Amino acid sequence: MKITLLFFLLASSLWAVDFETKVLPILKNSCVKCHEPHEKRGKPREAKAGLRLDSAFGIAQGGDNGSAVVPGKPEESPLYTLAALNPDDDDIMPPKGDTLTKKELETLKVWIESGADFGKWRGVNKSEPKWPMETLPEKDRKDLPKLPQKAIYDFKKLPFIVRPVAKNSPYLEVEWRGDGQKLRSMDLLPLTQYKDRVLRIDFQDLTLDMEAIKKISTLESLEVLNLTHCKLPSLKGLSKLSHLQKLNLYASNSSSQVKQSDWAKLDSFTPLGI
Amino acid sequence: MSHEISRRDWLCRAAGTALGLGITSLDRGNLLNGAWEENQAVREPKARSVIYLYMSGGMTHVDTFDPKPENKEVQGPLEVIEGATSGMRFGQHLIKTAKQSRHLCLINSMTTTQGAHEQGDYFMHTSYEMRGTIQHPSLGSWVSRELGRRNPELPASVLINGGSRHPERGYFEMKHQPLRVDNPNEGLAHAKRPQNIEASRYDKRMELLGKFNSSYEKRHQTKAVKDYKESYDAALKLMSSRDLEAFDLSKENETLKAAYGENEFGQGCLLARRLVERGVRFAEVQLGGWDFHNDCFGRLEEKAPVLDNALGTLIEDLHQRGMLEDTMVVLATEFGRTPNINNRELGRDHFPKAFSGMIAGGGAKGGHIHGKTDKDAKNVVESAMSPMDLNATIAYAMGLDTKKVIYSPSKRPFQVAHKGKPVLELF
């Protein structure tokens, strides 16, 4: 870790490009004329594509088409890729006049690669540049440490799919369409070791025994349990699951009765049978 | 001429048509049922699957989801029915759909810039305007690319009753092409063992084929050879898999089949439900023939009940199975139809400026109307939503990153819904 960090610091200090002296002149010369509020035939115009390159804030914010610069990734930054297109291409930037020279392109590329730092420069909008993050709301979950490699190793041996509920999420979901097979309760063991992480189980077309239900009922963070087209024992144990919001028993049968009233507190309950 | 096809021919078809070679997307390297998997969704998805109903030809908004009984000139001869949820109104043919109103989120503020069928269809499916130099992928192909398969044995994206236009994979790889099912009642073509060959004999043949191939595969370790081997293997695997049953509508009970409607669209919706149940992520079902330039009200009497039976039954069926929370049903069309009825032919013409769409399930609010048009159904006066916004909203629900920029082979930047922004009020 330390070595990587050191390398990173070295790398960026060696190759870092000073924005104000190296990059800004290129933008001023080739880009800013259109990408700031300007006049055309005496009429005021907005910056093209909603992208303002006259401030650090504007560059970081991007335009109508999304990000202009993704720090560290020149190949994903239209500011660089569109300028680097073949000059005959319809989408080349700038669309008129001289295209960027090889040296200028390299400067842009290295600046983005090294983290797209603006230094002290802010431009016409004095706000601090804000790089966009995914801003859509998500369910509040407590932060858990990353899943240990050993867990992944254990999960790989299971007959069903285990995956994080989303990219980089420490929480898990489990899925198996089992073609009528019997679920071996020992296959649930690796899950019970991470019982604060399993949010969702989708089991279809499986036979479960008491042992399996017992193991599932220890998965304390479980929110959604789909046991459809399954052969099930008594489900009494499951009432322990305090976070459960949804229980779906569609087209399954159970050795004992499952009353809807027992599950009235759930957001969603689908009874046994068809 | 014999109707039997040769073994080689059959195998090619099984791998090619049945699986669209889409089966080559088995990046996991094998077809194990289980194992650890990464997840490419950037947030917990609300909709794990989407059933996308596409009304081809331009569905009339006034006669379906945005009636204007106060304005007789626009409304024409149709009655209005009240939904089970207060404030929701439907054209008189949407009887079953109206009963499901507590699950529906009507969008009465769709607006597009495209007024011709091909362009409108393309824009709705891809979020990009048609260009001569590139073909853009449709939403289903994006889902396939970004999220991969949910069930390793079935493709991520399927198209049922597709016309000749979009959806297509565009500049994405072959494996992201939606698998086509042209007749839902026939299911997946070329996916069964030829009947004149016994299973044991068939297995022997395949074993022999494998022996012949293995030396070739050793000598030519190229991507193409690998792709073909994988698609053959996957085709064979699917043949013996219970997932093949997903394509077989004869497993459904007759009452339910009849309720969906004994027509290609109704059966297509039923098939879509079966596929989604087995882990297909994106199933599009098309219903064509909405281009009512003349005799709008006469033709609605045939068309609208087809939609109503399928849509109403689909929502109810998904709900009963406990699948509606995870499955988003979307109804989309290229544009609306003129609120003014043309007097000569009693028809309605193309009207891109304002029209309707619908979503249900997959985390969307039920009993909700988003946006509205003025009293003439001509202008969106609240919360306008473009095809790009609709696609962004669906992509958001599935957990895709709507801001992620990807590059086509020609090095141009693209986003899943172009400039579209997810409409979060719908959730």
Side-chain angles (χ1 to χ4, degrees):
Chain A
M1 180 65 198
K2 266 183 191 157
I3 295 171
T4 348
L5 193 67
L6 188 67
F7 179 73
F8 205 73
L9 285 172
L10 265 175
S12 48
S13 64
L14 275 178
W15 298 320
V17 175
D18 182 57
F19 179 84
E20 224 168 326
T21 57
K22 297 282 183 341
V23 181
L24 189 59
I26 304 175
L27 298 184
K28 278 195 167 155
N29 189 27
S30 302
C31 317
V32 176
K33 220 167 90 192
C34 294
H35 289 290
E36 67 174 355
H38 55 283
E39 276 192 6
K40 200 173 175 185
R41 294 189 207 100
K43 283 183 189 158
R45 297 285 172 107
E46 291 294 314
K48 288 246 180 162
L51 174 64
R52 293 187 61 158
L53 299 179
D54 57 355
S55 69
F57 183 82
I59 295 171
Q61 198 181 33
D64 297 341
N65 295 332
S67 301
V69 173
V70 180
K73 293 183 177 166
E75 71 287 356
E76 288 178 23
S77 306
L79 183 75
Y80 168 73
T81 55
L82 293 183
L85 283 173
N86 187 314
D88 298 334
D89 198 295
D90 288 347
D91 294 335
I92 179 92
M93 287 288 150
K96 286 181 197 144
D98 291 337
T99 54
L100 268 56
T101 64
K102 265 194 180 157
K103 199 180 152 204
E104 288 174 326
L105 282 172
E106 192 55 30
T107 308
L108 259 187
K109 189 177 172 201
V110 175
W111 173 66
I112 296 172
E113 246 164 19
S114 60
D117 183 18
F118 294 103
K120 290 207 172 72
W121 184 79
R122 291 294 171 268
V124 296
N125 183 343
K126 299 293 173 209
S127 323
E128 283 302 303
K130 262 202 295 205
W131 297 101
M133 304 289 278
E134 193 64 62
T135 49
L136 302 168
E138 275 209 63
K139 259 190 195 163
D140 255 347
R141 304 219 186 274
K142 74 177 178 250
D143 259 343
L144 290 175
K146 217 176 145 230
L147 196 70
Q149 202 58 39
K150 178 181 175 307
I152 296 175
Y153 181 77
D154 288 343
F155 293 153
K156 276 186 178 165
K157 288 184 273 189
L158 299 178
F160 43 77
I161 291 170
V162 183
R163 63 165 93 84
V165 294
K167 204 174 187 169
N168 302 326
S169 168
Y171 290 98
L172 302 171
E173 60 183 34
V174 176
E175 191 164 336
W176 194 17
R177 289 171 194 79
D179 288 1
Q181 294 169 61
K182 187 168 187 305
L183 177 75
R184 293 181 307 177
S185 61
M186 58 179 271
D187 284 336
L188 294 169
L189 263 179
L191 295 179
T192 59
Q193 285 163 16
Y194 299 93
K195 58 187 180 194
D196 52 342
R197 292 170 185 256
V198 182
L199 298 185
R200 184 184 167 104
I201 290 180
D202 281 276
F203 283 151
Q204 205 177 79
D205 207 0
L206 282 167
T207 302
L208 277 71
D209 60 13
M210 270 317 284
E211 240 351 88
I213 292 295
K214 221 189 230 169
K215 293 237 160 43
I216 291 175
S217 68
T218 65
L219 303 173
E220 56 189 33
S221 57
L222 199 66
E223 294 175 2
V224 174
L225 180 55
N226 286 315
L227 300 171
T228 56
H229 304 265
C230 288
K231 288 199 182 69
L232 303 169
S234 162
L235 300 177
K236 285 227 171 69
L238 297 178
S239 56
K240 278 203 291 197
L241 294 167
S242 61
H243 287 89
L244 197 67
Q245 295 158 10
K246 175 176 173 174
L247 178 62
N248 184 356
L249 307 173
Y250 186 82
S252 291
N253 55 56
S254 159
S255 58
S256 69
Q257 224 187 348
V258 181
K259 276 193 261 157
Q260 183 133 14
S261 55
D262 293 345
W263 301 97
K265 66 178 168 64
L266 300 185
D267 295 344
S268 166
F269 173 77
T270 308
L272 293 164
I274 296 179
Chain B
M1 205 184 106
S2 161
H3 287 281
E4 307 266 306
I5 52 174
S6 73
R7 171 180 46 80
R8 178 170 307 219
D9 211 24
W10 171 83
L11 195 59
C12 281
R13 288 193 205 178
T17 62
L19 301 160
L21 282 179
I23 213 87
T24 55
S25 63
L26 294 159
D27 302 322
R28 265 167 248 123
N30 62 39
L31 280 160
L32 267 182
N33 236 335
W36 168 256
E37 227 178 45
E38 290 303 330
N39 193 340
Q40 296 307 317
V42 291
R43 73 190 80 77
E44 277 182 61
K46 296 171 188 295
R48 272 148 214 273
S49 293
V50 166
I51 297 179
Y52 184 92
L53 310 177
Y54 189 73
M55 303 299 113
S56 178
M59 183 187 77
T60 159
H61 55 302
V62 176
D63 305 311
T64 53
F65 296 117
D66 194 12
K68 299 286 175 188
E70 300 81 8
N71 188 344
K72 275 288 159 215
E73 224 168 282
V74 165
Q75 177 66 19
L78 286 198
E79 301 286 320
V80 170
I81 43 180
E82 301 280 327
T85 315
S86 72
M88 283 189 139
R89 301 185 301 189
F90 301 83
Q92 75 175 37
H93 298 294
L94 300 184
I95 303 159
K96 281 190 180 177
T97 308
K99 289 193 179 126
Q100 299 298 327
S101 62
R102 73 194 164 104
H103 297 302
L104 309 184
C105 175
L106 304 185
I107 303 165
N108 283 335
S109 53
M110 290 299 301
T111 181
T112 179
T113 51
Q114 308 295 311
H117 295 293
E118 193 174 1
Q119 283 78 358
D121 182 311
Y122 189 96
F123 192 38
M124 186 52 87
H125 277 96
T126 67
S127 303
Y128 285 84
E129 290 176 16
M130 265 173 103
R131 288 182 88 170
T133 48
I134 194 158
Q135 195 192 26
H136 304 88
S138 61
L139 188 55
S141 294
W142 273 94
V143 168
S144 167
R145 183 185 191 275
E146 292 299 301
L147 300 178
R149 293 172 179 221
R150 201 175 143 203
N151 179 340
E153 296 183 27
L154 291 175
S157 167
V158 175
L159 169 64
I160 303 165
N161 307 337
S164 54
R165 299 195 187 111
H166 247 65
E168 296 277 343
R169 68 193 157 97
Y171 48 78
F172 287 162
E173 295 158 276
M174 186 65 197
K175 64 186 178 185
H176 301 304
Q177 178 82 5
L179 167 65
R180 284 185 79 105
V181 178
D182 287 336
N183 181 349
N185 276 311
E186 280 176 16
L188 198 58
H190 312 301
K192 285 205 183 77
R193 176 165 49 82
Q195 282 182 353
N196 56 336
I197 298 166
E198 284 165 38
S200 59
R201 189 159 168 211
Y202 181 77
D203 290 344
K204 257 191 204 158
R205 285 182 173 187
M206 289 303 124
E207 201 181 308
L208 191 61
L209 179 70
K211 273 184 196 157
F212 286 147
N213 283 348
S214 65
S215 64
Y216 182 84
E217 281 151 14
K218 255 179 224 155
R219 267 181 289 130
H220 304 275
Q221 297 191 358
T222 66
K223 192 176 174 307
V225 172
K226 205 170 140 254
D227 276 1
Y228 270 89
K229 180 180 168 15
E230 279 177 3
S231 53
Y232 285 152
D233 288 352
L236 291 169
K237 169 89 182 175
L238 179 56
M239 274 176 68
S240 57
S241 154
R242 287 223 335 215
D243 287 320
L244 193 57
E245 276 184 18
F247 291 91
D248 186 359
L249 291 184
S250 68
K251 306 277 180 209
E252 289 290 329
N253 93 36
E254 289 302 321
T255 327
L256 188 64
K257 282 185 77 170
Y260 271 93
E262 304 276 2
N263 53 68
E264 287 207 341
F265 182 68
Q267 300 304 298
C269 288
L270 178 56
L271 178 58
R273 192 222 77 212
R274 287 181 67 83
L275 292 173
V276 162
E277 211 169 12
R278 291 267 180 172
V280 166
R281 286 193 195 272
F282 197 97
E284 170 165 350
V285 193
Q286 296 199 350
L287 174 61
W290 284 94
D291 200 16
F292 299 158
H293 288 287
N294 54 42
D295 190 21
C296 177
F297 305 103
R299 290 166 74 182
L300 261 171
E301 277 177 32
E302 275 180 45
K303 189 63 68 188
V306 171
L307 169 62
D308 183 49
N309 285 326
L311 178 59
T313 308
L314 176 65
I315 305 278
E316 176 62 25
D317 195 12
L318 289 171
H319 172 62
Q320 280 190 11
R321 285 167 188 264
M323 290 170 67
L324 196 57
E325 290 101 335
D326 291 335
T327 309
M328 179 178 274
V329 179
V330 180
L331 182 135
T333 182
E334 56 255 42
F335 39 65
R337 306 204 73 83
T338 45
N340 285 352
I341 301 156
N342 67 44
N343 284 324
R344 239 173 335 108
E345 318 242 18
L346 288 178
R348 296 189 194 266
D349 303 317
H350 300 181
F351 197 74
K353 217 162 73 174
F355 61 108
S356 294
M358 182 223 81
I359 61 178
K365 280 181 200 162
H368 182 74
I369 303 174
H370 180 76
K372 65 178 181 201
T373 55
D374 59 10
K375 64 178 182 15
D376 302 325
K378 279 181 188 156
N379 295 292
V380 173
V381 293
E382 210 180 279
S383 315
M385 208 164 152
S386 70
M388 297 185 283
D389 296 330
L390 179 64
N391 286 332
T393 306
I394 302 167
Y396 162 77
M398 295 197 83
L400 270 70
D401 183 355
T402 55
K403 289 191 177 141
K404 179 176 171 185
V405 177
I406 65 108
Y407 287 83
S408 66
S410 55
K411 302 277 178 276
R412 291 190 176 87
F414 295 100
Q415 286 158 284
V416 57
H418 196 191
K419 300 174 189 175
K421 297 212 165 65
V423 181
L424 301 182
E425 299 101 277
L426 302 189
F427 296 97

